């Protein structure tokens, strides 16, 4: 094993062990990683799950009253500039993928303006009962006027009268709850009108994440979490501690970067077991890029133990 790979695997294993709060497990994980820990050994180092899970099981997002599937279908792998790996499939390709998930009981569509996935989701929505799916999207608005315009544009692009969940996207500032109060007020106004059912945020710094946890305005958090700390706001233990604060406040938590934006593509069982075992996520989103990959995710979640 190359030195860089060794450090990465060791950090991932020991980080997961620390989260589980077991000194013995930490020692075991460290020893196994020093020997080039196998997939089977990493899975064995995680405690058994408290129950069986299913990707299509019905969950409730925090105190929003929104019920949906445990697994959300992400549309934004490496998503920016109105493009992602999923939108590269084309409108029909991605909408067919979403409908394949729907046929497997997945009821959670995870979109965003920056992914450019609204037309793809809109096409899928033409073929399913609107009240049977949860549509989450995200805005980069940082002022009230843009936020108001975005909400109306999103409804038109998605072909829906309401958005189930609308999030402020990619927040990094520790004072965002003060700096972007205008956006928050517009979203609350839209919620009162029924234009959106719940609002919240996705954060891309630990400072913003901590501010979000303390905000009573946030109803839904989109949090980056995986056992190796890949593409996260901080190390897993620190993020989990913030998530516990969110949970105690009754906020909804949807996990993202479960597979570390592909860094755990060959360690899926470990990543899924880690996420399911936290006991903090109401749901989580993963962006499959094919029906075979999506079907495999559904199967793996059902087999997790």
């Amino acid at each position: 094993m190359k030195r860089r790979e060794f450090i990465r695997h060791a950090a991932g294993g020991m980080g997961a062990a620390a989260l589980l709060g077991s000194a013995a497990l930490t020692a075991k994980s460290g020893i196994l990683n020093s020997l080039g820990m196998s997939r089977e050994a990493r899975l064995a180092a995680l405690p058994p799950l408290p129950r069986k899970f299913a990707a299509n099981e019905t969950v409730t997002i925090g105190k929003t009253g929104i019920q949906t599937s445990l697994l959300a279908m992400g549309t934004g792998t490496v998503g920016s500039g109105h493009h992602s790996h999923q939108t590269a499939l084309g409108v029909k390709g991605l909408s067919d993928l979403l409908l394949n998930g729907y046929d497997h009981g997945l009821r959670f569509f995870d979109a965003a303006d920056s992914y450019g996935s609204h037309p793809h989701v809109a096409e899928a929505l033409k073929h399913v009962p609107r009240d049977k799916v949860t549509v989450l999207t995200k805005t980069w608005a940082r002022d009230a006027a843009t936020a108001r315009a975005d909400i109306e544009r999103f409804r038109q692009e998605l072909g829906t009268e309401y958005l189930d969940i609308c999030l402020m996207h990619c927040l990094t500032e520790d004072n965002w709850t003060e700096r972007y109060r205008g956006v928050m007020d517009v979203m609350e106004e839209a919620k009162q009108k029924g234009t959106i059912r719940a609002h919240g945020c996705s954060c891309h710094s630990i400072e913003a994440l901590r501010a979000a946890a303390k905000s009573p305005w946030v109803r839904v958090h989109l949090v980056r979490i995986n056992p190796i700390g890949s593409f996260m706001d901080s190390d897993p233990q620190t993020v989990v501690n913030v998530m516990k604060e969110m949970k105690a406040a009754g906020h909804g938590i949807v996990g993202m970067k479960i597979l570390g934006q592909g860094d755990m593509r060959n360690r899926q069982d470990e990543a899924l077991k880690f996420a399911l075992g936290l006991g903090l996520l109401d749901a989580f989103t993963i962006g499959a890029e094919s029906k075979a990959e999506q079907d495999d995710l559904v199967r793996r979640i059902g087999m997790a133990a």
Side-chain angles (χ1 to χ4, degrees), residues 1-302:
M1 178 180 287
K2 295 180 181 178
R3 181 176 181 275
R4 183 169 59 182
E5 293 174 343
F6 165 79
I7 292 172
R8 185 173 184 177
H9 283 289
M14 289 186 286
L19 289 175
L20 300 169
S22 168
L25 182 55
T26 301
K28 177 182 178 184
S29 180
I31 292 170
L32 289 172
N33 273 288
S34 70
L35 298 175
M37 195 174 183
S38 69
R39 181 181 68 86
E40 292 77 11
R42 287 194 301 266
L43 280 170
L46 293 169
L49 295 177
R51 65 177 179 87
K52 296 293 290 183
F53 291 86
N56 62 3
E57 68 180 69
T58 300
V59 301
T60 302
I61 307 299
K63 295 182 178 179
T64 65
I66 295 173
Q67 292 189 316
T68 189
S69 59
L70 173 65
L71 178 61
M73 294 177 281
T75 63
T77 302
V78 194
S80 65
H82 302 284
H83 183 271
S84 73
H85 288 187
Q86 284 73 33
T87 61
L89 299 172
V91 171
K92 185 178 188 306
L94 180 48
S95 64
D96 283 351
L97 185 59
L98 294 172
L99 292 174
N100 180 71
Y102 183 88
D103 289 342
H104 283 80
L106 305 184
R107 299 290 187 263
F108 201 164
F109 296 175
D110 172 23
D113 186 33
S114 65
Y115 308 159
S117 58
H118 287 171
H120 312 69
V121 172
E123 180 59 31
L125 288 176
K126 294 176 183 178
H127 305 283
V128 298
R130 176 62 184 90
D131 62 350
K132 299 299 183 183
V133 294
T134 298
V135 177
L136 179 155
T137 191
K138 314 169 192 81
T139 173
W140 276 84
R142 297 298 189 259
D143 62 80
T146 303
R148 189 170 287 110
D150 275 0
I151 291 172
E152 293 308 307
R153 175 168 60 85
F154 292 179
R155 292 168 63 205
Q156 293 178 16
E157 290 177 350
L158 289 162
T160 180
E161 293 183 2
Y162 63 93
L163 311 174
D164 293 289
I165 303 172
C166 190
L167 305 179
M168 296 179 68
H169 203 175
C170 199
L171 294 166
T172 58
E173 301 87 349
D174 61 357
N175 66 341
W176 72 264
T177 56
E178 300 172 4
R179 186 172 180 179
Y180 304 131
R181 187 74 236 182
V183 176
M184 297 162 68
D185 290 344
V186 167
M187 286 190 167
E188 178 60 25
E189 177 185 314
K191 181 176 178 293
Q192 295 302 320
K193 291 180 177 178
T195 307
I196 62 175
R197 296 177 64 195
H199 46 59
C201 62
S202 75
C203 295
H204 283 238
S205 80
I206 191 60
E207 294 80 13
L209 196 70
R210 287 182 170 132
K214 292 176 171 55
S215 172
W217 176 86
V218 178
R219 298 292 189 272
V220 181
H221 299 269
L222 194 59
V223 181
R224 303 190 288 181
I225 184 70
N226 57 69
I228 64 173
S230 180
F231 291 91
M232 285 176 51
D233 299 321
S234 186
D235 63 275
Q237 181 66 73
T238 297
V239 172
V240 165
N241 287 340
V242 179
M243 290 168 66
K244 288 178 178 177
E245 184 179 348
M246 296 169 175
K247 198 72 171 180
H251 298 179
I253 308 175
V254 179
M256 65 171 168
K257 294 294 187 286
I258 302 300
L259 301 181
Q261 195 165 295
D263 284 349
M264 297 191 74
R265 182 179 291 272
N266 297 321
R267 298 170 62 179
Q268 292 174 321
D269 293 331
E270 179 188 353
L272 291 170
K273 187 174 181 180
F274 175 83
L276 293 167
L278 289 172
L280 296 169
L281 300 175
D282 297 312
F284 53 86
T285 180
I286 299 177
E289 297 178 30
S290 69
K291 291 179 181 179
E293 186 176 351
Q294 186 179 71
D295 294 348
D296 185 58
L297 279 170
V298 171
R299 181 188 64 81
R300 288 177 186 274
I301 291 170

